[in-house]
């Protein structure tokens, strides 16, 4: 037996027992008469003691152990003379009688400590060493708990986990497909699923009633901040449901997860329409842990000679709590920040709300105290606040102010990772106009149903049609999204038509789904949660890479196994492929 206990097991009560432990050498300390070794495994650290006087050979052997050597020891649990209150095994140590080196180790390229000296790239290259570090291991354990609790909860609600295939045909979720050539069908290709969307709908036609799957999805997109080409969804679908049923079940799941992982009770799941979110927060995934709601100022700012505002489509501001304490330099920094190309504002007007009730603005030349008072009213500013105002084209200026709002919240410490503020955003538009291709795209995906009472509008004003589509937002991140689906062939055909598919194209790509709809498809709908993001947020962080065992870098590479990589001429020939 290589071990009787783990390195985190032994306590005061074990004193006197003879035990075996196995693990990695965290460090050795040679104090002359005594040599101490910290032995580490997944469960903790135990101190091993070697005595030069009583067992010289063994002690000499111990002194030669390098960092990360894999060893096994046998010895007696004894009380430590100087206890270490910081670790659970700190009362005891092992008086070693036998030492076996199971494997030696090269010196690791970075320290295996909570705070390591290794940079991102190096840690990715040696991810298996990085995983030995507590923070990474803890993240993986958290992820395991989240998956387990998800399965427990959904099982308790009669959901059935069904696996769906990875080698499929395109399921459009708005990204590019990863393509897999077929050897047996030369010249033909599978696509990896961007999601199991069509399969889960077919499972509803198949009468499974409540489906879920913790599943990998693949999307070939340019990797903007914190995206991965393969990521994991908690994918769900239900039959005979309306939007309300789905929101209820998944509030339940979210409550259960936040309670079991973070021991926090979530009382409310407020709701907000998409239009309201855009108007009030400038984006469709607002962080509602703090205020700074948008106040639209056109009516109270476009009556004077200030042409910047007069010529703008939208003038909009936020009141920054306590912001009047910002120095001139702080404000200049903010102005530079909004003018960065990533944000793209042309400038920023500000108003200081002084403690005596007066206002001091950067546009005092144009606006009097009454005007500024109206701005304060509209942005709900209090004395001591700073009003920041941007202007320009509606969509652009909303995005800019939204970015500024988040930046300020960050600076002011208003984004407390221990606080959880979920929000349903509902009534998404069905379609979205794409300037590049000059046509409408499905905002969610092409299987989302228009609100039944708005189907007629599809012909006259497609952009105004709303869907029973919803996102679950948590702390300013979209953690889930779904919709009520189309379940009849005619509406699905109409939808494809509006998305610019010819009848033949629609049939070639999605004939199987439209056929299935002719065999008694029940009304159905569903949702998918992004598991990576959810676990990151519940873990108090926002970087999903830290919660994935073997993530890819920003260029989509796995730097550890060095993939993607060229394939041999033989493999190419077998697949009937030529590369440039
Ligand atoms: N398939 C959708 C997605 O991946 C989720 C859904 O509509 O259920 O976003």
């Amino acid at each position: 037996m290589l071990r009787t206990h783990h390195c985190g097991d032994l306590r005061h009560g074990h004193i006197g027992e003879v035990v075996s432990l196995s693990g990695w050498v965290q460090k050795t300390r040679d104090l002359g008469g005594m040599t101490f070794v910290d032995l580490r495994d997944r469960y903790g650290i135990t101190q091993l003691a070697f005595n030069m006087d009583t067992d010289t050979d063994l002690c000499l052997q111990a002194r030669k152990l390098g960092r990360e050597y894999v060893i096994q020891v046998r010895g007696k649990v004894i009380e430590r003379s100087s206890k270490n209150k910081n670790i659970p095994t700190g009362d005891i140590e092992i008086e070693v009688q036998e030492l076996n080196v199971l494997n030696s180790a090269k010196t690791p390229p970075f320290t295996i400590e909570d705070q390591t000296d290794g940079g991102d790239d190096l840690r990715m290259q040696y991810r298996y060493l990085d995983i030995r570090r507590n923070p990474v291991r803890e993240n993986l354990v958290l992820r395991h708990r989240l998956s387990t609790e998800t399965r427990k909860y959904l099982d308790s609600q009669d959901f059935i986990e069904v696996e769906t295939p990875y080698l499929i045909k395109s399921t459009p979720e708005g990204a590019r497909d990863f393509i897999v050539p077929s050897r047996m069908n030369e010249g033909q290709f599978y696509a990896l699923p961007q999601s199991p969307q069509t399969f889960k709908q077919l499972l509803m036609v198949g009468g499974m009633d409540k489906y879920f799957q913790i599943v990998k999805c693949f999307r070939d997109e340019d990797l903007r901040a914190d995206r991965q080409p393969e990521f994991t969804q908690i994918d769900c679908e239900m039959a005979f449901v309306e939007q309300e049923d789905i929101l209820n079940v998944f509030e339940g799941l979210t409550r259960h997860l936040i309670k079991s992982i973070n021991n926090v009770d979530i009382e409310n799941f407020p709701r907000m329409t998409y239009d309201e979110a855009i108007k009030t927060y400038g984006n469709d995934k607002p962080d509602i842990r703090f205020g700074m709601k948008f106040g639209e100022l056109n009516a109270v700012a476009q009556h004077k000679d200030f042409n910047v505002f007069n010529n703008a489509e939208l003038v909009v501001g936020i009141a920054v709590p306590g912001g009047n304490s910002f120095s001139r330099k702080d404000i200049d920094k903010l102005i530079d920040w909004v003018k960065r190309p990533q944000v793209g504002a042309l400038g920023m007007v500000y108003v200081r709300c002084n403690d005596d009730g007066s206002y001091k603005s950067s546009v005092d030349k144009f606006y009097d105290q009454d005007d500024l008072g109206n701005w304060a009213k509209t942005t709900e500013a209090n004395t001591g606040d700073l009003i920041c105002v941007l202007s320009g084209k509606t969509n652009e200026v909303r995005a800019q102010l939204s970015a500024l709002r988040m930046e300020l919240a960050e600076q002011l410490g208003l984004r407390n990772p221990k606080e959880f503020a979920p929000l349903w955003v509902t009534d998404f538009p069905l379609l979205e106009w794409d300037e590049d291709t000059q046509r409408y795209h499905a905002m969610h995906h092409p299987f989302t149903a228009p609100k039944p009472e708005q189907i007629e509008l599809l012909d006259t004003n497609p952009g105004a049609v709303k869907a029973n589509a919803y996102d679950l937002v948590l702390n300013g991140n979209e953690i889930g999204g779904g919709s009520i689906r189309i379940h009849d062939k005619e509406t699905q055909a109409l939808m494809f038509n509006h998305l610019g598919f010819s009848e033949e194209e629609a049939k070639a790509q999605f004939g199987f789904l439209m056929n299935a709809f002719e065999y008694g498809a029940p009304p159905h709908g569903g949702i998918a949660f992004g598991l990576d993001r959810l676990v990151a947020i519940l873990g108090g962080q926002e970087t999903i890479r830290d919660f994935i065992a073997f993530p890819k870098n920003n260029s989509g590479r796995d730097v550890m196994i060095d993939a993607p990589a060229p394939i041999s001429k033989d493999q190419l020939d077998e697949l009937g492929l030529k590369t440039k």
Side-chain angles (χ1 to χ4, degrees):
M1 213 208 268
L2 286 177
R3 58 184 177 189
T4 55
H5 295 80
H6 299 308
C7 295
D9 276 344
L10 299 171
R11 301 285 186 276
H12 200 271
H14 294 92
I15 288 172
E17 284 180 33
V18 173
V19 299
S20 300
L21 297 178
S22 294
W24 286 266
V25 172
Q26 176 78 26
K27 64 172 176 239
T28 47
R29 280 178 317 263
D30 178 7
L31 304 183
M34 295 292 292
T35 291
F36 294 103
V37 172
D38 282 350
L39 188 67
R40 183 194 74 237
D41 67 9
R42 190 184 114 192
Y43 309 93
I45 284 191
T46 301
Q47 175 162 295
L48 312 177
F50 297 86
N51 191 321
M52 198 61 181
D53 296 334
T54 55
D55 203 337
T56 315
D57 280 355
L58 205 60
C59 196
L60 288 175
Q61 243 181 297
R63 285 185 187 176
K64 287 203 214 110
L65 295 171
R67 263 165 57 204
E68 301 306 309
Y69 271 47
V70 186
I71 61 170
Q72 185 218 2
V73 294
R74 211 176 103 84
K76 198 155 115 195
V77 183
I78 58 170
E79 182 158 14
R80 261 165 89 156
S81 49
S82 64
K83 305 209 166 32
N84 180 350
K85 293 276 161 251
N86 298 323
I87 56 172
T89 60
D91 281 352
I92 56 96
E93 64 191 8
I94 310 295
E95 186 182 66
V96 179
Q97 297 155 358
E98 249 179 74
L99 165 67
N100 290 316
V101 175
L102 302 177
N103 214 339
S104 61
K106 288 210 253 181
T107 306
F110 50 86
T111 53
I112 313 293
E113 303 278 354
D114 291 7
Q115 299 291 336
T116 177
D117 55 358
D120 274 0
D121 289 345
L122 201 58
R123 289 192 295 112
M124 288 299 149
Q125 195 185 338
Y126 296 91
R127 185 64 165 171
Y128 45 90
L129 296 180
D130 205 22
I131 292 173
R132 286 188 197 162
R133 295 171 52 239
N134 291 324
V136 182
R137 191 199 59 240
E138 279 159 16
N139 286 351
L140 295 183
V141 171
L142 188 74
R143 185 182 177 109
H144 161 76
R145 283 177 53 213
L146 187 110
S147 314
T148 307
E149 291 300 335
T150 299
R151 290 202 163 92
K152 272 207 262 183
Y153 182 82
L154 291 175
D155 178 63
S156 78
Q157 303 292 309
D158 285 336
F159 282 79
I160 294 184
E161 184 161 19
V162 183
E163 289 173 72
T164 53
Y166 282 161
L167 296 176
I168 65 165
K169 235 159 124 172
S170 179
T171 294
E173 294 275 4
R176 230 175 263 115
D177 291 320
F178 278 103
I179 296 297
V180 182
S182 164
R183 180 185 55 81
M184 288 193 283
N185 305 271
E186 204 180 297
Q188 299 194 350
F189 300 85
Y190 301 101
L192 298 180
Q194 291 185 35
S195 84
Q197 184 61 36
T198 48
F199 286 95
K200 65 175 173 173
Q201 293 190 240
L202 293 170
L203 287 170
M204 296 303 103
V205 182
M208 289 309 291
D209 203 61
K210 289 176 175 180
Y211 143 93
F212 86 100
Q213 183 180 192
I214 297 185
V215 62
K216 273 283 169 78
C217 300
F218 305 87
R219 297 184 190 177
D220 186 4
E221 0 185 36
D222 296 332
L223 299 179
R224 281 180 277 132
D226 210 25
R227 290 263 182 112
Q228 288 280 311
E230 51 178 312
F231 59 95
T232 306
Q233 283 190 344
I234 306 167
D235 192 43
C236 307
E237 197 76 4
M238 302 168 78
F240 302 110
V241 286
E242 293 172 332
Q243 170 169 307
E244 199 58 34
D245 302 304
I246 296 179
L247 301 197
N248 282 332
V249 169
F250 291 96
E251 281 182 21
L253 172 66
T254 310
R255 264 203 190 94
H256 174 78
L257 293 176
I258 297 180
K259 178 71 188 172
S260 52
I261 306 280
N262 301 87
N263 198 23
V264 170
D265 291 295
I266 302 289
E267 302 288 326
N268 294 321
F269 282 75
R271 295 183 191 181
M272 188 179 289
T273 64
Y274 171 87
D275 287 348
E276 200 184 335
I278 296 289
K279 203 172 151 68
T280 327
Y281 295 100
N283 73 63
D284 58 4
K285 46 180 164 59
D287 190 337
I288 56 164
R289 282 173 296 181
F290 51 91
M292 292 195 266
K293 291 187 188 172
F294 287 17
E296 296 193 351
L297 300 170
N298 290 31
V300 290
Q302 289 186 321
H303 62 298
K304 292 282 170 71
D305 292 336
F306 189 47
N307 281 335
V308 176
F309 281 1
N310 292 345
N311 298 333
E313 209 171 77
L314 180 68
V315 182
V316 58
I318 50 174
V320 184
N324 192 25
S325 64
F326 291 180
S327 67
R328 181 60 216 252
K329 219 162 130 207
D330 295 334
I331 296 178
D332 284 344
K333 266 203 214 135
L334 279 183
I335 296 176
D336 287 343
W337 192 89
V338 297
K339 282 161 98 176
R340 296 178 335 152
Q342 298 94 315
V343 183
L346 292 175
M348 183 183 97
V349 165
Y350 64 88
V351 185
R352 290 180 174 283
C353 305
N354 296 323
D355 288 343
D356 63 5
S358 68
Y359 302 101
K360 176 88 193 81
S361 82
S362 56
V363 283
D364 279 352
K365 213 161 88 192
F366 301 102
Y367 298 97
D368 59 27
Q369 292 290 308
D370 283 347
D371 292 325
L372 300 178
N374 285 330
W375 298 15
K377 217 180 281 158
T378 313
T379 56
E380 296 176 13
N382 296 312
T383 51
D385 291 355
L386 178 80
I387 307 173
C388 298
V389 184
L390 301 183
S391 63
K393 282 220 169 102
T394 303
N395 291 344
E396 289 168 14
V397 82
R398 280 179 175 156
Q400 292 157 2
L401 192 61
S402 164
L404 177 63
R405 177 178 176 268
M406 292 300 268
E407 170 66 17
L408 283 162
E410 200 69 60
Q411 286 184 17
L412 296 171
L414 300 174
R415 306 195 67 205
N416 172 6
K418 298 223 154 55
E419 188 187 338
F420 297 102
L423 171 76
W424 286 111
V425 178
T426 62
D427 298 315
F428 273 79
L430 182 73
L431 303 167
E432 181 177 40
W433 180 252
D434 185 55
E435 281 296 335
D436 292 344
T437 53
Q438 285 291 305
R439 63 182 215 208
Y440 282 104
H441 283 261
M443 184 133 183
H444 188 44
H445 51 55
F447 316 105
T448 295
K451 284 196 185 263
E453 66 278 11
Q454 294 185 332
I455 289 191
E456 256 80 87
L457 262 184
L458 266 177
D459 288 324
T460 51
N461 188 3
V465 179
K466 296 285 198 284
N468 282 325
Y470 32 79
D471 275 358
L472 184 58
V473 175
L474 184 61
N475 297 358
N477 295 279
E478 178 201 330
I479 58 157
S483 61
I484 296 297
R485 326 295 186 190
I486 297 168
H487 67 282
D488 67 277
K489 188 176 171 179
E490 289 69 37
T491 313
Q492 191 63 70
L494 183 73
M495 186 67 185
F496 284 139
N497 183 288
H498 277 281
L499 293 173
F501 285 82
S502 70
E503 217 171 296
E504 292 72 45
E505 282 168 340
K507 212 164 148 206
Q509 224 183 319
F510 300 110
F512 63 95
L513 186 69
M514 307 233 265
N515 285 343
F517 286 171
E518 292 193 291
Y519 291 93
H524 60 283
I527 191 166
F529 283 70
L531 184 141
D532 310 282
R533 174 115 19 235
L534 184 57
V535 64
I537 297 172
L538 299 196
Q541 291 170 38
E542 288 189 357
T543 325
I544 65 174
R545 197 195 272 183
D546 296 341
F547 292 82
I548 296 174
F550 298 105
K552 305 223 171 359
N553 73 6
N554 282 346
S555 331
R557 295 199 72 81
D558 183 324
V559 293
M560 182 183 65
I561 61 170
D562 199 17
I567 57 172
S568 72
K569 171 93 174 50
D570 287 352
Q571 277 175 305
L572 283 172
D573 288 346
E574 220 169 33
L575 295 166
L577 292 179
K578 274 206 185 82
T579 51
K580 268 196 267 174

